[in-house]
């Protein structure tokens, strides 16, 4: 028995801190009371999903190591990065809303006098250990310490490419607040964030930060950092409303009809930050293709093109089998097909959705040409407000 306890203690000592901890105590009791927690796990909207990659490891390896497609999954040269400076961010946005995509799903939004940082990942790898796992394809545009004060850090879910231990530990030393889905607060407390700086929400719950209203909205995904993946931490998309502007961050999600409900309740949005990368036929229910991402944006906007769409969750880490540049090309094509404005800044380039948008396909200078027909979004002409046009 003593030997068993020693072995257990030894295994705990070897567990990476980045695994975080499972919710317990009152936090776990609150999770059990959630209407979205059934039979011991959080469940997705829109019915059952394939919550993890389907198919065998051999199937995955066959696709991932394919000699014809593998060379296209990384840039052929150095990805351009805007070295964001304090001068870029010191002057208030002229329109009241400015957005800076830092790469992948990390976005700084300056909205109506407040600063919101979504899914900050400044680490070199999205992995529980520093020596293996997907590595950055470009550097972060600026050091985290140079970002300046942030009012609230918003986390969509606890996967490594969205919740990064080194980044959270650095931010724990500031006075920022953290808005996270239900259960995710356990990880942050374990890493040094005080409970009084946490706003931990179930879907459809909201919290106030200064003049902002943040609402956790549904998403279609899954969670987990450790070996057991107990599905005891929630995943979410987020609506943020200020005095003049509204923005939306999708986190990771598959396409579902709930985008229409989110748009009706919280939109329309001045800008949506939509996941359009790391999709695969092996996991069709938990990530969106660019075509699905454009449909999601239109749903959020009431069915017609409006606002600005910012594609996220691509370009920084190699997480799927599609060509590295494919999400950018396909999103531009999808936007053109439906008449929707799309912003494609290089990482670190601030822009105002109400001003001049970055629209140059910058990835083409470091990518082999992609000769494909891009499927257009599956929306009706009525949805696009084109009734009566030929």
């Amino acid at each position: 028995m003593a030997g068993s306890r020693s072995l257990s203690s030894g295994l705990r000592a070897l567990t990476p801190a980045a695994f975080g901890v499972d919710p317990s105590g009152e936090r776990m009791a609150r999770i059990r009371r959630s209407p979205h927690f059934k039979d011991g796990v959080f469940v997705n909207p829109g019915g059952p999903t394939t919550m993890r990659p389907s198919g065998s490891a051999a199937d995955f390896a066959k696709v991932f190591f394919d000699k014809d497609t593998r060379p296209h999954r990384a840039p052929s040269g150095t990805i351009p990065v805007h070295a964001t400076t304090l001068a870029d961010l010191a002057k208030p946005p002229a329109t009241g809303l400015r957005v800076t995509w830092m790469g992948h799903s990390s976005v700084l939004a300056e909205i109506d006098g407040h600063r919101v940082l979504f899914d900050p990942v400044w680490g070199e790898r999205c992995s529980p250990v520093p020596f293996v796992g997907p590595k950055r394809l470009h550097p972060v545009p600026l050091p985290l310490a140079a970002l300046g004060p942030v009012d609230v850090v918003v986390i969509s879910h606890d996967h490594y490419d969205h919740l990064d231990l080194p980044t959270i530990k650095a931010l724990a030393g500031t006075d920022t607040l953290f808005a996270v889905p239900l259960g995710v607060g356990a990880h942050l407390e374990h890493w040094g964030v005080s409970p009084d700086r946490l706003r931990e929400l179930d879907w459809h719950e909201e919290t106030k930060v200064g003049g902002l209203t943040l609402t956790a909205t549904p998403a279609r995904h899954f969670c987990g950092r450790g070996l057991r993946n107990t599905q005891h931490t929630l995943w979410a998309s987020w609506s943020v409303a200020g005095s003049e502007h509204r923005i939306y961050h999708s986190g990771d999600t598959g396409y579902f009809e709930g985008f229409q409900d989110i748009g009706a309740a919280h939109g329309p949005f001045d800008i949506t930050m939509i996941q359009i990368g790391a999709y695969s036929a092996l996991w069709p229910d938990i990530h969106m293709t660019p075509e699905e991402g454009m449909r999601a944006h239109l749903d959020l906007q009431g069915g017609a093109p409006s606002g600005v769409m910012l594609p996220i969750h691509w370009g920084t880490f190699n997480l799927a089998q599609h060509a590295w540049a494919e999400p950018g090309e396909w999103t531009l094509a999808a936007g053109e097909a439906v008449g929707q404005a799309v912003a494609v800044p290089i990482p670190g380039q601030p822009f105002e959705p109400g001003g001049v948008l970055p629209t140059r396909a910058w990835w083409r200078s470091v990518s082999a040409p992609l000769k494909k027909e891009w499927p257009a979004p599956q929306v009706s002409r009525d949805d696009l407000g084109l009734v009566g046009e030929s």
Side-chain angles (χ1 to χ4, degrees):
M1 193 70 155
S4 175
R5 284 198 299 270
S6 297
L7 178 60
S8 176
S9 299
L11 289 174
R12 283 198 299 272
L14 292 173
T15 300
F19 276 6
V21 294
D22 289 335
S24 60
E26 176 51 35
R27 178 176 277 115
M28 193 63 217
R30 185 182 170 201
I31 287 170
R32 291 193 180 99
R33 294 193 297 269
S34 169
H36 311 109
F37 191 77
K38 299 177 182 178
D39 299 323
V41 295
F42 280 111
V43 295
N44 269 305
T49 61
T50 301
M51 294 180 67
R52 297 182 181 84
S54 60
S56 68
D59 293 334
F60 182 81
K62 181 179 179 181
V63 174
F64 197 81
F65 293 105
D66 182 82
K67 64 182 179 63
D68 294 323
T69 61
R70 188 171 175 80
H72 294 280
R73 293 206 298 272
S76 58
T78 301
I79 296 174
V81 173
H82 178 87
T84 318
T85 66
L86 184 59
D88 288 323
L89 305 175
K91 186 177 180 180
T95 62
L97 176 62
R98 181 168 57 209
V99 172
T100 309
W101 179 54
M102 300 294 179
H104 202 58
S105 294
S106 302
V107 183
L108 174 68
E110 299 167 272
I111 171 173
D112 299 336
H114 299 79
R115 305 177 94 224
V116 183
L117 184 59
F118 293 96
D119 283 357
V121 174
W122 258 250
E124 188 65 18
R125 296 182 185 271
C126 48
S127 168
V129 291
F131 47 85
V132 293
K135 188 177 181 180
R136 282 186 166 275
L137 300 174
H138 66 80
V140 291
L142 81 168
L144 189 61
L147 193 61
V150 173
D151 294 290
V152 58
V153 173
V154 177
I155 303 298
S156 64
H157 63 297
D158 68 0
H159 286 159
Y160 290 98
D161 56 324
H162 297 260
L163 180 62
D164 179 55
L165 169 60
T167 305
I168 296 300
K169 281 201 165 186
L171 290 167
T174 71
D175 59 1
T176 187
L177 300 176
F178 294 82
V180 303
L182 194 56
V184 174
H187 298 311
L188 273 64
E189 281 191 43
H190 185 61
W191 298 335
V193 177
S194 60
D196 63 338
R197 289 165 54 201
L198 288 172
R199 305 289 185 269
E200 199 164 346
L201 307 183
D202 201 347
W203 290 338
H204 309 298
E205 292 182 342
E206 66 179 40
T207 188
K208 303 281 188 179
V209 175
L212 301 179
T213 300
L214 292 84
T215 307
T217 47
R220 199 164 153 86
H221 199 55
F222 71 110
C223 66
R225 295 177 71 85
L227 297 176
R228 291 187 299 152
N229 286 334
T230 55
Q231 303 304 301
H232 287 173
T233 59
L234 190 59
W235 47 96
S237 57
W238 289 87
S239 163
V240 179
S243 57
E244 301 292 335
H245 296 91
R246 294 172 178 266
I247 61 178
Y248 172 84
H249 189 284
S250 72
D252 279 3
T253 180
Y255 178 80
F256 68 115
E257 292 183 356
F259 290 116
Q260 299 175 24
D261 298 328
I262 295 170
H266 305 287
F269 300 97
D270 296 278
I271 187 168
T272 68
M273 297 157 266
I274 303 287
Q275 171 264 307
I276 50 81
Y279 46 85
S280 172
L282 295 176
W283 49 86
D285 296 331
I286 57 174
H287 281 172
M288 292 189 290
T289 67
E291 182 272 327
E292 292 171 320
M294 185 57 66
R295 268 195 282 158
H297 171 87
L298 295 173
D299 288 349
L300 291 161
Q301 301 297 77
S306 66
V308 176
M309 178 189 173
L310 172 65
I312 62 171
H313 202 266
W314 76 288
T316 303
F317 298 105
N318 187 349
L319 301 177
Q321 298 81 37
H322 58 67
W324 169 77
E326 183 174 298
E329 290 288 353
W330 193 353
T331 303
L332 281 186
E336 184 177 356
V338 298
Q340 172 59 51
V342 175
V344 285
I346 63 173
Q349 179 186 2
F351 70 95
E352 300 191 27
V356 178
L357 299 181
T359 58
R360 181 178 65 88
W362 51 266
W363 54 87
R364 291 175 185 167
S365 65
V366 289
S367 171
L370 298 176
K371 299 177 181 178
K372 292 186 70 172
E373 291 290 329
W374 305 110
Q378 298 176 19
V379 294
S380 72
R381 293 174 64 81
D382 288 359
D383 289 339
L384 298 178
L386 300 177
V387 177
E389 297 184 15
S390 59

